[in-house]
Amino acid sequence: MKLFSSFLKELKIASRGFYFYVELFMAVLIVAIFLFAVPDNFSNKTSEYLFLDMPEQASGVYLKRVADEDIDGKVENVKIKVGEKEMKASLYTTKDKDIYLLDSREEIKYVADKERELAAVITMESNGKLAYDYYLQGYESNRFKNLLKILHVESSETLESAMNNQEVRPLTTSSSQSLSDKENMIPVVLVFNGALMGLFIIAAYIFLDRQEGVIKAYALTPSPVWHYLLSKIGVIMVTSIASSFIVLLPIMKFKPDYLLLLVLLMSTAFFSSSLGLVIASFYKDIMEAFGAIYIFMMGMIIPTIAYLIPSWNPVFIKFIPSYYMLEGFKAVVLGNNDWPYVLTLSGGFLVSGFVLFILSTSRYKRTLLG
């Protein structure tokens, strides 16, 4: 009962301060951006720059085939600015790429150098076959280079037919759901605005209490230190839950499993807040602690890169807690009732947070007044 009373008192005090509303404001801002600025799916359209080094009759046949794939069947004469140069080009727009036809090989080389885009020169050999000279950047994989070598060995119709006739076997027989590009970004938001922000904000609360003398006044009360620390964590949990629901409800509506979300949010917020307490216990003010907190948060960002770019997935990111936060929140957002996995993750964060909380309690018994 004393703990609950202490929590209510901390919640009341926190609601009068700036930090309490940081997460809530960020949640509202994120919702506005997602609803009005972020499309459901991002465009994967690429740009290609070509020069046809062949007789006019042959180039006319080639361009007719390109025009057939154009969205409106019309070529558009445009001017493109590349580096410090302005070039004339003919633009063909298909559903998955913009094809710019330039006037010389030198322009192709310049574009490849300045724009870092796919650029090629197409020539006609003596036997009437087309040859493709691609200008690469030097960092392409061997797989990509080999693909370019075989891409034009057969006609595009033959390649497409072969791809369509390939047998695809699913790795699992269970029904799977997919997320749009917008929805796929939600777990990242939940990790940082809903879970990891507590790492910074709880440290700010501690240093603010020291500065205003609240801690010295608290030391005169009979309440134990862990009551004070757990009450602070409780405030972080409330703001994390509130900000996460503000983000999810307008965007995902009732697709996620909100009960599972509540469990995972509480455990991850408890873990990150306890980690924040441990870090803050080694410093006297927020300015001294900022560097360490910043380093920890930057480290937590690394799994996000692998999440957004699946082809980059080094082994070491599996030792970073935010990797499992992302996986857990994605399972929740999918709403696929993966209770065992999410509960296992929540239990892991709860146990880890409890260990960190015991360590922080031990340290604050000695340093809280320092």
Side-chain angles (χ1 to χ4, degrees):
M1 194 66 184
K2 287 184 179 180
L3 176 61
F4 183 69
S5 176
S6 178
F7 162 69
L8 291 179
K9 187 183 299 182
E10 289 294 338
L11 186 61
K12 186 176 180 180
I13 294 172
S15 65
R16 297 171 182 169
F18 165 76
Y19 293 109
F20 183 82
Y21 297 98
V22 169
E23 282 192 73
L24 301 181
F25 172 76
M26 287 298 297
V28 173
L29 182 62
I30 289 168
V31 167
I33 293 173
F34 269 67
L35 290 179
F36 301 109
V38 179
D40 288 334
N41 290 290
F42 302 120
S43 174
N44 293 321
K45 183 174 286 190
T46 59
S47 297
E48 292 185 5
Y49 298 85
L50 304 177
F51 169 60
L52 303 183
D53 188 8
M54 61 182 71
E56 185 176 347
Q57 184 178 1
S59 63
V61 174
Y62 182 89
L63 291 176
K64 185 178 183 306
R65 293 179 58 188
V66 175
D68 290 341
E69 297 181 8
D70 192 279
I71 293 176
D72 56 8
K74 297 178 180 179
V75 59
E76 183 180 357
N77 295 319
V78 298
K79 290 183 178 181
I80 58 174
K81 188 174 179 61
V82 181
E84 299 179 354
K85 291 185 177 182
E86 190 175 77
M87 304 176 182
K88 294 181 179 180
S90 300
L91 172 61
Y92 295 85
T93 303
T94 68
K95 63 180 181 180
D96 56 358
K97 58 187 174 183
D98 292 327
I99 302 174
Y100 293 91
L101 196 67
L102 302 182
D103 294 332
S104 68
R105 184 183 292 266
E106 287 69 28
E107 288 184 345
I108 288 293
K109 291 180 180 179
Y110 188 79
V111 168
D113 180 51
K114 298 296 182 182
E115 288 294 303
R116 306 292 182 184
E117 294 281 3
L118 183 63
V121 175
I122 306 176
T123 58
M124 178 169 284
E125 298 178 335
S126 57
N127 58 3
K129 291 185 177 181
L130 298 180
Y132 296 79
D133 294 328
Y134 287 95
Y135 291 88
L136 306 179
Q137 307 302 322
Y139 53 75
E140 292 84 1
S141 65
N142 289 330
R143 179 180 296 181
F144 179 75
K145 294 176 183 177
N146 291 335
L147 177 62
L148 292 180
K149 290 178 181 178
I150 67 170
L151 185 59
H152 305 290
V153 173
E154 297 286 351
S155 66
S156 58
E157 292 80 5
T158 303
L159 292 174
E160 183 178 0
S161 176
M163 291 292 293
N164 292 336
N165 291 330
Q166 283 188 353
E167 181 182 2
V168 179
R169 297 179 181 178
L171 296 177
T172 176
T173 56
S174 61
S175 60
S176 60
Q177 303 180 55
S178 60
L179 298 174
S180 67
D181 290 340
K182 178 192 290 187
E183 293 171 342
N184 200 44
M185 294 176 66
I186 295 296
V188 177
V189 175
L190 293 178
V191 167
F192 289 98
N193 194 62
L196 291 182
M197 278 294 286
L199 191 152
F200 169 77
I201 293 179
I202 199 164
Y205 279 149
I206 295 295
F207 294 130
L208 186 63
D209 284 356
R210 279 181 177 169
Q211 181 182 342
E212 296 183 351
V214 174
I215 289 179
K216 289 184 178 180
Y218 187 87
L220 300 176
T221 68
S223 298
V225 172
W226 70 270
H227 274 198
Y228 169 76
L229 298 179
L230 197 57
S231 298
K232 290 292 186 187
I233 292 177
V235 173
I236 299 298
M237 285 183 177
V238 169
T239 54
S240 295
I241 293 169
S243 63
S244 299
F245 275 66
I246 288 173
V247 171
L248 270 184
L249 279 170
I251 298 173
M252 300 295 297
K253 298 181 174 58
F254 299 104
K255 183 177 181 180
D257 190 323
Y258 285 97
L259 186 57
L260 265 184
L261 173 67
L262 190 63
V263 173
L264 187 58
L265 271 175
M266 292 179 67
S267 61
T268 53
F270 179 67
F271 169 81
S272 61
S273 300
S274 298
L275 179 59
L277 286 174
V278 173
I279 296 172
S281 69
F282 291 93
Y283 301 93
K284 292 183 178 180
D285 56 55
I286 189 65
M287 295 307 297
E288 288 186 10
F290 183 80
I293 294 174
Y294 180 80
I295 291 172
F296 270 90
M297 294 195 74
M298 288 301 101
M300 294 291 191
I301 288 177
I302 295 176
T304 305
I305 301 173
Y307 175 82
L308 297 175
I309 310 175
S311 59
W312 186 77
N313 192 27
V315 176
F316 74 86
I317 65 170
K318 294 185 179 180
F319 295 94
I320 302 176
S322 55
Y323 173 84
Y324 298 98
M325 291 181 185
L326 285 166
E327 293 296 318
F329 282 120
K330 185 171 184 179
V332 169
V333 169
L334 277 169
N336 56 7
N337 293 319
D338 197 356
W339 281 79
Y341 180 67
V342 176
L343 290 179
T344 301
L345 288 181
S346 300
F349 282 115
L350 197 61
V351 171
S352 302
F354 185 69
V355 172
L356 291 171
F357 181 75
I358 292 176
L359 177 60
S360 64
T361 302
S362 175
R363 284 197 53 78
Y364 280 106
K365 284 180 180 178
R366 302 191 303 269
T367 65
L368 199 56
L369 297 178

